[in-house]
Amino acid sequence: MMSAQLQQQQQKQQQDQQQQQKQQKQQQHQQQLLQSLPSRTGSGPVSANASIAPGAPGLQIPGAPATSNTQQPASFGQLRNRAAESQSPYVRVHAKTPVAWQLLNADTLKRAQAENKPIFMHIGFLADHHCRLTTQDSFSNNAVAAFLNSSFIPVIIDREERPDLDTIYQNYSEAVNATGGWPLNLFLTPDLYPIFGGTYWPGPGTEHSLVAARGGAGGVGGGAATPEASSINGGGEESYNDFLAIAKKIHKFWVEQEERCRREAFEMLHKLQDFAQEGTFSGTPAEPVPVVAPVAAADVEAGADLDLDQLDEALDRIFKMFDPVDCGFGTPKFPNPARLSFLLRLAQFPREVRDVVGDKEVENAASMARSTLRRIRDGGLRDHVGAGFMRFSVTSDWSMPHFEKMVGENALLLGVYLDAWLGRVPSSAAETRLSLEDEFADVVIDLADYLTSPLIQSSGGGFVTSEAADSFYRKGDRHMREGAYYLWTRREFDDVVGPAGSAEVAAAYWNVLEDGNIPRDQDPHDEFINQNVLCSVWGRDIQALSKQFGIPVKDVKKMIAKARQRLRAHREQERPRPARDEKVVVGVNGMVISALARTAAVVRDLDKTKSQRYLEAAQQAAAFIKENLWVQDGTQSRKVLKRFWFNQPSDTRAFADDYAFLIEGLLDLYETTLEVKWLVWAKELQDVQSELFYDTPAVGSTPSLRHSYTGGFYSTEEATLSHTILRLKSGMDKSQPSTNAVSASNLFRLGTILDEKPLIRQAIETINAFEAEILQYPWLFVSLLAGVVTLRLGVRETHVKVEQTASLRQYWKTPKAGANALLLGADTPE
């Protein structure tokens, strides 16, 4: 036993060392990139990515002016801040900054090209700490603003409004810096070719920039990433330790070597087109198949090499990636709902999957998922006083969160915890053994309560997008602090909890220490001195806590429950709540609708009041979107979705993921309510998604950057503001399941329920489109692997009559696996 623990600890130390080495390399690489920019004309490397070989001299860049034009056309007038004209809450926050923000549109591009100025593009979101810090320390700095306004065309983007741009330029950041995250700050040519970019850069003269200048890493980095700018000896502009110094360096590069700058940026974009090739290497059928012609599923064969073996290969790689000490994967630690769902699903797939993967491996996979879910449940990501989970942990042991709460990711976690709960009960006994005392049931209820609270569900019915990481610690404070709403000193904790005995027990339970429990290396600016993140280090082992204090278990539970009530009451009364991003985004709402509909069905017999509340919340959100964001498409006969609602429908149209997640939510809502109207609308949405985003396979057609004719869904429509905005297909799982995996599942389910074979054919084509990628990196496409199971073994059909309530309850309480379909009006086939 001890040798096994020692081996795990050694493996853990090796992973930590490798992570530290990776971070150091990323920091050095970013600094080398800045140093590689020429300090004078004709000298030194010229590329923001020195590994890219220069193209032929004199290469002409499409859309680029042949010579500089420094005369400002009178028609454009003076640059002024247009952030207030945006429909995004995040962008509007910047209306009070001195930066002359422009919105990304045709007029902005024309101006940049006419004035021959590079574009500075900032991509961020309202909930993020480093985005707020950048606004406070850089964009509110008059010197930074003056330089950006005079030397660049500043453009600001809400990544939740334009996920397409965010994805493209995150790919760029990952290719050049080996990391990404938010905020994402970019310098682009006037026609949007990338020159240089990175995530968080400290504002000039701030504590963060001074720490960076002293060689510390805590002042730079940000978003989901490790720091990518480290200091070099000396100070001033050449140290590149702050936002202004970096901007000046890029401007110098542009002024002195514009042609070479354009050429390198042009070539970089072509490198980025490698990312755009995902989903374009496979999927072309052997014979052309008309889209309108009915066709049996067998008429479209699965990819020749796609089979259940890929699940075994993916699982083997995931086993190697797993952290045997702290659970989860990598550092920083993200919940990764798609991967956890895959690990749980393996035990629920048909027997053929076990035959390929192995019984022991399937059980180990489920054990990995459950142990990770326990660490997430008990660790610093969970709001132990209120409810909900933060986005990720910067530490390997899940103890130090980034404090923003993303509503969509909480909805995905609700689905995973629901499946973990249902998977702990044998399917044959699910009807009689489900209990709110089961493991994970409390997390399911807490999350569902959180998502249906007035905090998250707006008065109109839609669900908001997020809660911010930063807030004021006390009413009347002038400066926001990261995590202020969630942190406690030991003194304040004891004062609020009350009697000494109760405070001692509660402090032990949540690891509240006199000197704070935040690691010193996570506090380079002394912002968290004596602060504690609540972490349930005892997990569910109340027995051990009872033994330590000599108090009966039932009394320990009462003390902890009472402490939680008092902490919550104090927090709600004394601390200002973090700001919400009140956009009602279609895709986010689809995720919540799906999770709540499933949860409502499961708890119907356990708590009818909660079940009804969850179901009504899901229905209200669906109705809100249909009424407000399902609109006529100009002069077209069809309707289309708008991306979000914020006081009005957005001008931005919905993306493929919005359709995919909403359709999934409506199918789950239909199966819970048995109301056909949700199924009908899901089919209407599917038709529009296919029309706008589907890459219909067609033999003999010439592939282009906008159409590869290989199947699958593009993330964006064909029309675009600029040819430099690449059209991508999403097959890889990231913080959420891939759009194409969700779409394939929807098509399988709709095709089976409605008995429409062309939909099933389209699902198969969608999976086939990613055959090359799945075969090479199956562990990155685990949600599509669930589609491979359905492709090979078929949709799991459940035939019931409406009056067969026991059969319906059994269906509702079945954990998620491959594509399932509830078919009404017929007895279950023998």
Side-chain angles (χ1 to χ4, degrees):
M1 180 68 178
M2 289 299 294
S3 62
Q5 290 177 345
L6 180 61
Q7 185 178 11
Q8 287 185 342
Q9 194 64 41
Q10 290 173 339
Q11 182 179 349
K12 172 66 175 170
Q13 291 174 352
Q14 184 179 11
Q15 290 177 344
D16 289 344
Q17 290 173 355
Q18 291 173 346
Q19 183 65 27
Q20 290 175 1
Q21 292 172 356
K22 180 181 178 181
Q23 290 179 3
Q24 291 172 355
K25 289 180 180 178
Q26 290 171 348
Q27 294 166 11
Q28 294 169 358
H29 182 64
Q30 177 82 5
Q31 197 59 229
Q32 289 168 357
L33 289 177
L34 279 168
Q35 289 177 293
S36 73
L37 299 178
S39 59
R40 61 184 184 275
T41 303
S43 67
V46 298
S47 175
N49 183 350
S51 65
I52 301 176
L59 179 65
Q60 294 299 307
I61 310 299
T67 59
S68 297
N69 177 12
T70 58
Q71 298 299 316
Q72 178 176 314
S75 59
F76 287 111
Q78 186 72 26
L79 267 183
R80 63 180 180 85
N81 190 328
R82 295 182 178 273
E85 300 172 16
S86 171
Q87 297 170 317
S88 157
Y90 177 67
V91 175
R92 287 187 181 185
V93 165
H94 296 76
K96 296 181 181 179
T97 67
V99 178
W101 294 112
Q102 305 299 293
L103 307 183
L104 185 62
N105 53 36
D107 288 342
T108 297
L109 294 186
K110 288 177 182 177
R111 179 169 194 150
Q113 291 162 6
E115 297 180 8
N116 199 36
K117 285 184 178 180
I119 290 171
F120 168 71
M121 181 181 288
H122 169 81
I123 302 177
F125 64 106
L126 192 64
D128 185 71
H129 166 66
H130 283 98
C131 290
R132 188 194 67 79
L133 211 58
T134 300
T135 302
Q136 171 187 285
D137 295 342
S138 293
F139 300 149
S140 298
N141 181 294
N142 288 326
V144 172
F147 190 76
L148 289 178
N149 295 343
S150 63
S151 304
F152 302 94
I153 303 296
V155 172
I156 185 167
I157 303 290
D158 181 343
R159 68 114 170 174
E160 293 161 345
E161 180 179 14
R162 292 298 303 271
D164 56 328
L165 292 173
D166 182 55
T167 299
I168 292 168
Y169 291 118
Q170 289 290 350
N171 287 344
Y172 165 74
S173 181
E174 290 167 8
V176 173
N177 303 317
T179 186
W182 298 278
L184 185 59
N185 295 303
L186 302 144
F187 296 96
L188 313 170
T189 67
D191 35 13
L192 301 179
Y193 292 103
I195 300 170
F196 184 78
T199 58
Y200 172 66
W201 299 322
T206 62
E207 176 64 23
H208 290 254
S209 65
L210 296 176
V211 169
R214 292 194 297 266
V220 291
T226 56
E228 79 264 21
S230 61
S231 68
I232 59 176
N233 293 330
E237 178 181 331
E238 294 304 314
S239 65
Y240 316 131
N241 292 312
D242 66 58
F243 193 106
L244 185 57
I246 292 170
K248 288 181 176 179
K249 184 66 176 178
I250 300 302
H251 178 252
K252 186 179 180 71
F253 179 26
W254 176 263
V255 169
E256 295 182 351
Q257 297 209 38
E258 179 190 328
E259 183 181 352
R260 298 186 71 180
C261 179
R262 284 181 177 273
R263 181 170 67 244
E264 295 294 340
F266 176 78
E267 291 172 354
M268 185 69 243
L269 187 77
H270 280 268
K271 289 287 184 181
L272 285 181
Q273 287 174 357
D274 292 342
F275 288 93
Q277 299 305 306
E278 182 182 341
T280 65
F281 295 111
S282 314
T284 304
E287 297 293 337
V289 181
V291 177
V292 296
V295 59
D299 290 344
V300 180
E301 296 295 336
D305 296 317
L306 278 181
D307 211 336
L308 302 183
D309 291 338
Q310 277 74 59
L311 279 77
D312 190 35
E313 294 175 22
L315 187 57
D316 182 62
R317 181 60 177 259
I318 291 172
F319 279 150
K320 294 175 182 177
M321 296 162 59
F322 184 69
D323 181 342
V325 175
D326 293 316
C327 304
F329 306 91
T331 302
K333 285 275 174 67
F334 290 84
N336 206 323
R339 184 174 293 161
L340 295 177
S341 179
F342 170 74
L343 294 174
L344 292 171
R345 286 183 182 201
L346 286 169
Q348 308 303 326
F349 285 136
R351 178 69 215 184
E352 291 88 340
V353 173
R354 282 181 175 264
D355 293 339
V356 172
V357 176
D359 287 333
K360 181 180 178 181
E361 287 73 14
V362 167
E363 296 308 317
N364 287 342
S367 178
M368 278 197 307
R370 289 193 294 266
S371 61
T372 301
L373 288 170
R374 292 184 187 109
R375 293 303 297 267
I376 296 171
R377 174 195 68 193
D378 299 333
L381 260 63
R382 188 179 185 184
D383 180 359
H384 291 270
V385 172
F389 292 91
M390 285 80 166
R391 192 160 65 94
F392 70 96
S393 172
V394 299
T395 54
S396 179
D397 63 358
W398 302 96
S399 65
M400 183 62 189
H402 250 229
F403 292 93
E404 62 270 18
K405 292 181 183 176
M406 311 306 293
V407 171
E409 290 170 26
N410 273 275
L412 294 174
L413 279 172
L414 172 54
V416 176
Y417 274 105
L418 182 64
D419 287 328
W421 173 21
L422 299 176
R424 298 293 281 167
V425 181
S427 58
S428 60
E431 186 62 20
T432 58
R433 290 185 56 189
L434 269 185
S435 165
L436 293 178
E437 299 302 315
D438 295 335
E439 185 177 21
F440 302 125
D442 60 330
V443 184
V444 169
I445 297 300
D446 281 352
L447 269 176
D449 285 348
Y450 171 68
L451 292 171
T452 54
S453 68
L455 178 71
I456 302 304
Q457 187 166 31
S458 64
S459 58
F463 299 101
V464 303
T465 301
S466 62
E467 286 191 271
D470 299 357
S471 60
F472 297 107
Y473 179 61
R474 293 185 183 90
K475 296 175 182 177
D477 282 358
R478 298 182 61 187
H479 299 288
M480 287 188 177
R481 292 162 48 179
E482 182 181 10
Y485 194 68
Y486 306 102
L487 297 171
W488 303 87
T489 64
R490 178 59 187 267
R491 176 181 294 181
E492 183 183 21
F493 184 91
D494 289 350
D495 289 345
V496 172
V497 172
S502 297
E504 286 292 329
V505 172
Y509 181 75
W510 280 309
N511 193 36
V512 179
L513 308 178
E514 194 69 38
D515 297 328
N517 64 11
I518 295 176
R520 185 69 185 88
D521 62 350
Q522 296 300 325
D523 189 23
H525 311 293
D526 296 333
E527 296 170 314
F528 300 118
I529 293 176
N530 296 332
Q531 297 290 331
N532 290 274
V533 176
L534 300 191
C535 297
S536 180
V537 295
W538 294 85
R540 287 202 152 199
D541 194 6
I542 302 295
Q543 191 76 38
L545 194 63
S546 167
K547 184 177 180 180
Q548 176 178 323
F549 285 93
I551 301 173
V553 169
K554 65 177 182 179
D555 291 340
V556 171
K557 291 182 177 179
K558 288 180 180 178
M559 288 178 177
I560 294 170
K562 188 65 175 178
R564 181 181 287 110
Q565 291 174 4
R566 289 177 173 173
L567 291 168
R568 180 183 299 174
H570 174 85
R571 195 173 74 172
E572 291 177 352
Q573 182 175 352
E574 300 296 331
R575 298 183 180 181
R577 188 94 198 185
R580 302 182 306 167
D581 188 328
E582 297 183 0
K583 293 193 308 291
V584 176
V585 177
V586 171
V588 170
N589 276 254
M591 296 177 204
V592 182
I593 291 167
S594 172
L596 288 178
R598 293 186 61 219
T599 304
V602 168
V603 304
R604 182 171 293 179
D605 295 332
L606 301 174
D607 190 324
K608 286 184 170 58
T609 301
K610 287 184 180 292
S611 172
Q612 187 64 28
R613 187 170 78 247
Y614 303 157
L615 185 58
E616 287 177 356
Q619 292 174 310
Q620 288 166 4
F624 177 86
I625 292 171
K626 187 171 186 180
E627 181 179 347
N628 295 284
L629 296 174
W630 179 236
V631 300
Q632 201 66 38
D633 185 14
T635 59
Q636 302 284 332
S637 58
R638 69 188 177 203
K639 286 187 172 183
V640 295
L641 285 171
K642 295 293 187 174
R643 169 72 174 171
F644 67 87
W645 171 276
F646 182 65
N647 299 325
Q648 62 182 13
S650 65
D651 292 334
T652 304
R653 290 158 67 109
F655 297 91
D657 69 300
D658 293 302
Y659 285 87
F661 286 110
L662 180 56
I663 292 167
E664 181 179 48
L666 293 176
L667 290 176
D668 290 332
L669 196 55
Y670 160 70
E671 292 188 343
T672 298
T673 64
L674 307 182
E675 295 179 3
V676 176
K677 65 179 181 179
W678 303 123
L679 177 63
V680 171
W681 189 27
K683 176 57 166 62
E684 292 174 0
L685 288 165
Q686 186 60 69
D687 289 343
V688 175
Q689 186 200 26
S690 297
E691 183 178 353
L692 297 179
F693 303 99
Y694 191 64
D695 185 27
T696 304
V699 172
S701 298
T702 303
S704 69
L705 292 177
R706 311 301 292 177
H707 278 293
S708 63
Y709 304 103
T710 55
F713 291 85
Y714 284 106
S715 298
T716 57
E717 298 183 40
E718 183 175 7
T720 182
L721 177 66
S722 168
H723 65 279
T724 52
I725 300 177
L726 303 176
R727 198 179 191 204
L728 309 179
K729 291 183 185 179
S730 167
M732 189 184 304
D733 299 306
K734 295 187 178 179
S735 62
Q736 61 191 42
S738 78
T739 298
N740 276 277
V742 176
S743 297
S745 175
N746 293 340
L747 288 163
F748 276 129
R749 295 172 71 185
L750 277 169
T752 302
I753 294 170
L754 300 175
D755 193 24
E756 293 193 15
K757 296 301 189 292
L759 296 178
I760 295 177
R761 179 197 67 198
Q762 198 174 356
I764 296 173
E765 291 171 349
T766 297
I767 296 169
N768 285 347
F770 297 90
E771 178 182 8
E773 291 86 352
I774 294 173
L775 290 173
Q776 191 169 6
Y777 306 107
W779 63 93
L780 299 178
F781 297 83
V782 291
S783 295
L784 274 171
L785 287 180
V788 172
V789 173
T790 303
L791 182 151
R792 288 298 181 187
L793 304 179
V795 177
R796 182 182 293 177
E797 300 179 8
T798 300
H799 297 253
V800 299
K801 294 181 179 178
V802 175
E803 62 269 18
Q804 294 176 318
T805 56
S807 297
L808 283 171
R809 287 198 297 267
Q810 183 73 19
Y811 178 81
W812 292 329
K813 294 177 182 179
T814 301
K816 209 169 188 178
N820 298 335
L822 182 65
L823 303 176
L824 300 178
D827 293 325
T828 303
E830 296 296 331

